[in-house]
Amino acid sequence: MKIGLLGLGTVGAGAYEIIENQKGRLQEFYQEELTVERILVRNLNKKRPVEVPDGKLTCDADEILNDPSIDVILSLMGGMEPAKTYILKALQNGKHVITSNKAVVAANLSLFLNEAKKSNVAFLFEGAVGGGIPIIKPLKQQRRLNQIEAIEGILNGTTNFILTQMMENKLEFDTVLADAQARGYAEADPSADIDGFDVQRKIAILSSLAYGQEIPTEKVYTRGIRSIRGIDTDYFQSKNLDVKLVASSAQQDDAISIWVEPCIVDPSHRFYAIKNSDNVVSFIGHLSGRLDFVGAGAGMDPTANAVISDLMDILDNHYQADIIPLAIAKNVGPTHASQDYYLRVDLLSCTKSEQARLAEQLLNLGLANNQEIYQGMIEGIEASMMRAIVSDVEKECGSIFYARRLRG
Ligand SMILES: NC(=O)c1ccc[n+]([C@@H]2O[C@H](COP(=O)([O-])OP(=O)(O)OC[C@H]3O[C@@H](n4cnc5c(N)ncnc54)[C@H](OP(=O)(O)O)[C@@H]3O)[C@@H](O)[C@H]2O)c1
């Protein structure tokens, strides 16, 4: 089998290394030689974490996509374009495609699955969600009989690392973020992680597969952790709680509720023990009950291992049944159910009249006021009302952080 690699960064170098280091073992198993024919990069002269023979690297995608001898494309580059165009071209040219790019998958899942079906090839993306945790394959396999009712998880290692460090070492958000960037855990532009967009894409992909309906990312109500401060984590510590960025979706009748929000958990909750860059994904099936998957949510080896697992499914010819039709999702939105919430609102930079109007509302909810910082737990408030308060405060003047209380 001949392989074309698009990208030789963290995941691409990891995948290349596994294929090269495990060549003998893979050949023994599949009675077939696996060869990485060509590798697409932007910069031919960049120093690489792996050694690649002369002539394998190219900056011309067509040398790979139009090469009839290449059977499989590993698309391991980020961003929307040219990744989308390359994936489509590869599928249309009758090549199997494996990708770890969640952004392009979340935006084009139906399109890619349909193209793959037309060409009778595989489109697989285990590395795109959960990094090293095998979740896509069990989900696709289970949903055939075991109707998936809900999915819940901690799906981003960077934010879980930041929250763990803030909680355990009593550090401020900005300090931990700067440290995570210096160590290479967080991107120079951290928005996709800390504003929740990375998790939004992942829960959209998982939920689309689970419920058989393509869920646009913009339908996923999303709050990140950018506004969390030490005053919040001090409060959680004083109550023996921990805070996590959680993604959740559930299907009831024909409606899908789906959201990404910071959540607080007590030590009896299974998410409490998920620290630093570990991730967890749980799904509930009507036959299986709850199934939990825990492991490294990203990183070179775990993600590359997920990519190579997809490759082995192609070698095993185990991909046909994976091509599932997705309907257009109709009734999708955030939950309206009543929840308990932690809320902290800082009105210091508001005008006196804004302060007075908002303060009345916040005191009525039972929050304590300490020099125009309002803080506390609110029991049993409708999620839609919380969203209205957030939008009101943010529109006017104040900074706000809230976290839903997760039980069970
Ligand atoms: N890193 C992880 O742990 C992880 C985990 C799960 C999923 N993912 C996803 O996997 C994908 C790859 O992530 P990564 O961390 O490996 O990225 P990365 O380290 O930035 O590597 C990207 C690679 O793609 C190449 N590339 C990018 N744009 C290109 C273009 N227009 N033409 C040709 N080559 C191009 C780059 O070439 P140059 O090297 O020449 O610049 C580089 O080799 C992303 O979608 C990411 O979200 C990553």
Side-chain angles (χ1 to χ4, degrees):
M1 174 176 276
K2 293 198 189 320
I3 299 160
L5 256 181
L6 309 184
L8 193 63
T10 307
V11 185
Y16 181 79
E17 203 165 49
I18 296 178
I19 295 167
E20 289 305 306
N21 291 349
Q22 308 286 334
K23 232 184 180 109
R25 205 175 150 86
L26 286 167
Q27 190 166 350
E28 196 181 324
F29 209 80
Y30 291 105
Q31 304 295 307
E32 193 175 346
E33 193 184 359
L34 269 73
T35 320
V36 177
E37 281 289 294
R38 300 302 297 275
I39 305 172
L40 180 75
V41 292
R42 267 178 305 210
N43 178 356
L44 290 176
N45 301 317
K46 194 165 161 182
K47 182 143 179 40
R48 304 284 164 189
V50 286
E51 229 172 272
V52 177
D54 284 348
K56 269 214 197 297
L57 297 185
T58 175
C59 289
D60 182 357
D62 283 340
E63 284 186 13
I64 300 175
L65 301 173
N66 291 338
D67 180 343
S69 76
I70 290 180
D71 310 288
V72 185
I73 297 295
L74 309 188
S75 179
L76 309 178
M77 49 193 269
M80 283 298 179
E81 283 294 356
K84 177 184 172 185
T85 303
Y86 293 169
I87 290 174
L88 274 180
K89 192 162 184 183
L91 293 170
Q92 284 157 359
N93 285 354
K95 301 181 191 310
H96 303 293
V97 173
I98 296 168
T99 185
S100 60
N101 179 337
K102 67 217 87 166
V104 83
V105 174
N108 303 287
L109 186 54
S110 264
L111 177 67
F112 292 155
L113 289 174
N114 287 336
E115 282 306 325
K117 193 173 185 176
K118 273 193 231 160
S119 298
N120 197 23
V121 290
F123 176 69
L124 302 174
F125 44 93
E126 188 66 76
V129 182
I133 305 173
I135 178 69
I136 302 284
K137 190 174 176 184
L139 191 59
K140 283 195 290 197
Q141 193 181 43
Q142 287 299 312
R143 75 177 285 280
R144 292 174 202 159
L145 281 184
N146 184 21
Q147 197 182 321
I148 310 298
E149 295 164 350
I151 305 173
E152 194 168 62
I154 298 172
L155 294 171
N156 181 277
T158 306
T159 44
N160 206 42
F161 172 82
I162 292 172
L163 295 174
T164 305
Q165 293 299 312
M166 285 182 76
M167 287 293 296
E168 291 187 350
N169 299 323
K170 286 187 158 289
L171 294 170
E172 263 304 341
F173 175 81
D174 289 341
T175 312
V176 185
L177 175 61
D179 179 43
Q181 285 171 318
R183 294 192 208 197
Y185 294 171
E187 303 277 337
D189 174 2
S191 176
D193 290 324
I194 66 175
D195 293 322
F197 301 124
D198 176 82
V199 179
Q200 180 189 60
R201 291 169 187 140
K202 291 169 175 172
I203 192 71
I205 295 171
L206 289 174
S207 307
S208 296
L209 291 177
Y211 312 129
Q213 302 182 42
E214 184 159 35
I215 298 172
T217 48
E218 58 275 14
K219 291 266 176 100
V220 182
Y221 178 78
T222 301
R223 295 282 300 180
I225 61 161
R226 190 184 278 273
S227 62
I228 192 170
R229 296 291 173 264
I231 185 176
D232 305 309
T233 45
D234 287 349
Y235 182 92
F236 302 144
Q237 254 152 358
S238 74
K239 306 278 182 205
N240 199 22
L241 296 166
D242 202 350
V243 59
K244 310 284 177 189
L245 182 62
V246 172
S248 173
S249 74
Q251 185 178 39
Q252 210 170 24
D253 303 323
D254 67 339
I256 295 170
S257 67
I258 182 162
W259 49 265
V260 176
E261 278 179 337
C263 288
I264 43 178
V265 288
D266 66 29
S268 66
H269 195 282
R270 66 196 188 284
F271 288 180
Y272 189 90
I274 310 299
K275 305 283 185 189
N276 290 308
S277 55
D278 271 357
N279 282 195
V280 57
V281 193
S282 310
F283 62 78
I284 298 174
H286 86 292
L287 296 173
S288 62
R290 198 184 73 223
L291 298 169
D292 294 332
F293 301 76
V294 179
M300 184 188 233
D301 286 344
T303 310
N305 181 53
V307 169
I308 302 305
S309 303
D310 280 345
L311 186 63
M312 291 195 287
D313 272 350
I314 293 173
L315 286 158
D316 284 332
N317 221 14
H318 272 175
Y319 60 86
Q320 296 291 357
D322 289 343
I323 299 175
I324 50 173
L326 299 179
I328 304 287
K330 286 197 198 89
N331 199 351
V332 183
T335 175
H336 296 286
S338 266
Q339 313 278 334
D340 298 344
Y341 283 93
Y342 162 81
L343 177 62
R344 186 260 309 155
V345 182
D346 180 338
L347 297 182
L348 281 169
S349 54
C350 300
T351 63
K352 287 283 169 220
S353 66
E354 284 167 340
Q355 268 179 7
R357 185 180 68 79
L358 292 167
E360 190 185 346
Q361 207 182 345
L362 298 171
L363 291 171
N364 282 342
L365 289 170
L367 300 189
N369 175 14
N370 184 2
Q371 299 182 349
E372 293 312 319
I373 297 177
Y374 295 78
Q375 187 181 35
M377 291 295 302
I378 307 170
E379 311 249 314
I381 176 171
E382 273 195 14
S384 49
M385 191 162 164
M386 270 303 292
R387 291 193 292 275
I389 294 169
V390 171
S391 133
D392 193 18
V393 170
E394 287 186 337
K395 194 169 62 200
E396 292 296 340
C397 52
S399 103
I400 189 164
F401 178 78
Y402 77 86
R404 178 192 293 252
R405 180 151 197 164
L406 268 196
R407 298 192 190 272

